[in-house]
Amino acid sequence: MPEFDWDGWEKTVPTEWKDRRLHWHCHSCRMEGETYGNEAARRDLATEYAPKLIRDWLRKPVRTVRRVAMVPEDGVAWLREQWAPIRAQAGEEAEAIPDAARFGRAEHALRGGADVCWGFWLNGSTHLHLAIVGTSEACHA
């Protein structure tokens, strides 16, 4: 895998997602700190808790899919919808990365065929997990 250029990502528009014929399943999960640290609960594929391995979202019950995005822009729009109401609760993390870079890098990753996973502690005790996981367009066939 080539090294990622954190400063030059804006200069390229990857198309791997088209070549791989991907679409994405969007997932979110709020967990109290105790649940976040519960390895067994998170590894249990029958639960709605965020899995330890991001790709395991695809093995979770279909009810955990919050949105299906057919193009990268749809996935990023979903992230924006999730981010807006919790931004103030994310503390210093909200200001650590400018939104243009936060969402731009997410779209770049999706276009490159990568999954996107964000996690935030909200008000110190609740963890919000957001994941966009790529899968074959044939998964709905």
Side-chain angles (χ1 to χ4, degrees), residues 10-131:
E10 295 174 291
K11 298 177 183 118
T12 63
V13 181
T15 59
E16 286 87 345
W17 72 279
K18 289 181 181 180
D19 300 336
R20 293 173 52 198
R21 302 176 65 154
L22 294 177
H23 73 279
W24 296 268
H25 292 183
C26 302
H27 300 271
S28 66
C29 177
R30 286 179 186 254
M31 298 174 283
E32 293 305 316
E34 184 177 306
T35 304
Y36 179 78
N38 185 332
E39 295 275 333
R42 292 187 59 197
R43 289 186 191 278
D44 182 350
L45 296 178
T47 71
E48 293 189 18
Y49 298 133
K52 297 296 286 184
L53 301 174
I54 301 310
R55 303 293 300 167
D56 277 351
W57 272 119
L58 298 176
R59 299 172 60 204
K60 291 278 190 168
V62 71
R63 69 181 178 268
T64 66
V65 177
R66 305 295 185 232
R67 181 182 288 177
V68 174
M70 300 309 290
V71 296
E73 295 85 355
D74 289 346
V76 172
W78 178 80
L79 280 174
R80 285 183 187 281
E81 291 169 12
Q82 305 311 301
W83 178 242
I86 62 98
R87 189 176 202 282
Q89 299 172 51
E92 292 178 9
E93 287 188 68
E95 304 301 325
I97 301 171
D99 282 354
R102 182 183 307 276
F103 295 106
R105 288 178 182 165
E107 184 174 331
H108 190 276
L110 295 176
R111 289 183 168 284
D115 300 328
V116 171
C117 180
W118 292 355
F120 303 99
W121 285 101
L122 307 179
N123 297 330
S125 63
T126 301
H127 189 270
L128 175 64
H129 175 100
L130 303 172

